[in-house]
């Protein structure tokens, strides 16, 4: 009897440092409102005990967040959450912490809501100059891809130019504000075999629909494009990190119960 090979799907193992895990947890508390601007963070010792990590990991995490201007240290008083400006959360430097977690999924939701309407408006309002500008970008994008260069900047710029072609300043400003997120995300997914070429084909198809003023088809195409991109997001890293972070506390709790028994 001939053995039948079972197909399995394996994904790369993602590893984060203890300092990154600490930074992500603190950032998560800031984002959900548990830590607000002006609130004082726990002391280094308290963080070490709560997170079961060493002092160096805590200090490195705090330095990361301070560099991102999310927290600030006040000598003699402690470390406090800063009041960020409206667009600071979109700064590219934050991507090392943000991309791959729930923020990435929230970005997908926001893009699907906004870009579907944006492309519909572009079908109604785009000028010949707008369309030519996007077309030139796609030509440059394809040439860079043929040369084997990184193309995430071109891919992100496509969505910005499309928003500008809608002639709605608010949606254009939104896309301009998240270009750093799109570029950083592009760095992670352009290594997926075949993805870069599929992406430019989809961009070209969307432009063709806008040029044809087919708003319904263009809206459907960009929604499918965004959803397809969303399928490359790997949230398992967050889940595994969460499990790893909770494990020490669970072991300590189990140890106390055994001791009490």
């Amino acid at each position: 009897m001939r053995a039948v090979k079972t197909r399995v799907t394996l994904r790369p193992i993602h590893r984060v440092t203890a300092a990154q895990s600490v930074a992500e947890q603190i950032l998560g508390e800031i984002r959900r409102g548990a830590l607000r601007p002006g609130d004082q963070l726990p002391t280094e010792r308290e963080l070490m005990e709560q997170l079961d990590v060493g002092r160096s990991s805590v200090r490195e995490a705090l330095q990361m967040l301070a560099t991102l201007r999310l927290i600030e240290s006040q000598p003699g008083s402690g470390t406090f959450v800063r009041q960020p400006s409206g667009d600071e959360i979109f700064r590219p430097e934050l991507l090392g912490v943000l991309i791959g977690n729930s923020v990435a999924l929230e970005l997908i939701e926001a893009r699907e809501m906004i870009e579907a309407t944006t492309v519909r408006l572009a079908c109604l309002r785009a000028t010949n100059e707008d369309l030519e500008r996007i077309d030139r970008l796609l030509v440059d994008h394809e040439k860079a891809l043929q040369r084997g260069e990184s193309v995430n900047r071109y891919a992100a710029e496509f969505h910005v130019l499309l928003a500008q072609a809608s002639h709605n300043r608010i949606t254009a400003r939104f896309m301009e504000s998240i270009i750093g997120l799109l570029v950083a995300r592009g760095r992670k997914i352009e290594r997926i075999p075949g993805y870069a070429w599929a992406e430019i084909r989809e961009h070209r198809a969307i432009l063709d629909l806008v040029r044809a003023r087919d708003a319904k088809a263009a809206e459907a195409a960009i929604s499918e494009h965004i959803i397809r991109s969303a399928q490359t997001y790997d949230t398992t890293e967050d889940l595994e990190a969460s499990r790893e972070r909770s494990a020490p506390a669970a072991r300590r709790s189990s140890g106390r119960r055994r001791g009490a028994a």
Side-chain angles (χ1 to χ4, degrees):
M1 181 175 179
R2 189 172 62 180
V4 178
K5 291 185 178 180
T6 302
R7 290 187 176 183
V8 296
T9 301
L10 302 177
R11 288 185 284 191
I13 297 173
H14 299 281
R15 297 185 184 278
V16 295
T17 67
Q20 288 174 320
S21 293
V22 172
E24 285 179 1
Q25 284 208 66
I26 295 174
L27 179 59
E29 295 301 292
I30 293 173
R31 290 196 65 258
R32 73 182 184 86
L35 285 172
R36 298 178 178 276
D39 284 353
Q40 184 174 3
L41 267 63
T43 65
E44 285 186 4
R45 180 168 294 280
E46 289 171 336
L47 289 172
M48 290 166 58
E49 293 175 352
Q50 291 177 28
L51 300 168
D52 195 31
V53 295
R55 185 180 299 275
S56 62
S57 295
V58 169
R59 288 184 173 175
E60 183 180 348
L62 295 179
Q63 181 59 50
M64 290 162 58
L65 295 173
T67 299
L68 297 173
R69 302 185 66 215
L70 293 174
I71 62 173
E72 60 184 355
S73 178
Q74 298 179 8
S77 299
T79 302
F80 298 83
V81 179
R82 282 187 70 253
Q83 175 67 61
S85 62
D87 61 353
E88 276 191 315
I89 195 66
F90 295 123
R91 294 210 320 277
E93 308 97 290
L94 287 170
L95 270 298
V97 179
L98 296 180
I99 287 300
N101 65 18
S102 59
V103 177
L105 300 181
E106 291 174 18
L107 175 63
I108 288 294
E109 292 173 348
R111 287 185 60 197
E112 189 178 5
M113 288 187 289
I114 293 172
E115 291 197 67
T117 300
T118 294
V119 77
R120 187 171 70 247
L121 292 176
C123 287
L124 298 172
R125 302 174 179 174
T127 64
N128 288 335
E129 183 180 355
D130 293 328
L131 298 175
E132 289 171 5
R133 187 182 303 115
I134 298 173
D135 187 69
R136 288 195 300 272
L137 175 76
L138 291 178
V139 170
D140 291 341
H141 183 166
E142 186 166 357
K143 288 180 179 178
L145 193 55
Q146 290 171 342
R147 293 192 298 267
E149 298 173 0
S150 176
V151 295
N152 51 75
R153 171 63 64 174
Y154 294 101
E157 187 68 21
F158 170 82
H159 292 273
V160 173
L161 292 184
L162 198 59
Q164 292 173 352
S166 75
H167 292 272
N168 180 297
R169 289 176 293 179
I170 303 302
T171 57
R173 179 66 185 91
F174 170 78
M175 294 308 300
E176 290 164 5
S177 73
I178 67 168
I179 190 169
L181 287 166
L182 299 178
V183 170
R185 177 60 190 160
R187 294 193 191 102
K188 296 175 73 71
I189 63 177
E190 70 177 354
R191 295 189 296 270
I192 299 175
Y195 183 89
W197 282 106
E199 180 178 50
I200 194 170
R201 286 195 297 270
E202 291 176 12
H203 284 183
R204 176 63 69 182
I206 291 167
L207 174 60
D208 289 343
L209 291 170
V210 173
R211 184 179 280 116
R213 310 295 175 176
D214 191 339
K216 184 176 181 179
E219 186 175 352
I222 201 158
S223 293
E224 291 173 7
H225 175 66
I226 293 170
I227 292 171
R228 180 173 175 275
S229 172
Q231 291 171 348
T232 68
Y233 280 73
D234 184 3
T235 57
T236 58
E237 180 177 348
D238 276 344
L239 180 59
E240 291 303 318
S242 176
R243 288 172 176 169
E244 290 175 6
R245 288 193 291 263
S246 64
R251 286 195 295 269
R252 289 197 300 271
S253 176
S254 176
R256 285 195 294 269
R257 288 195 297 270
R258 286 196 299 270

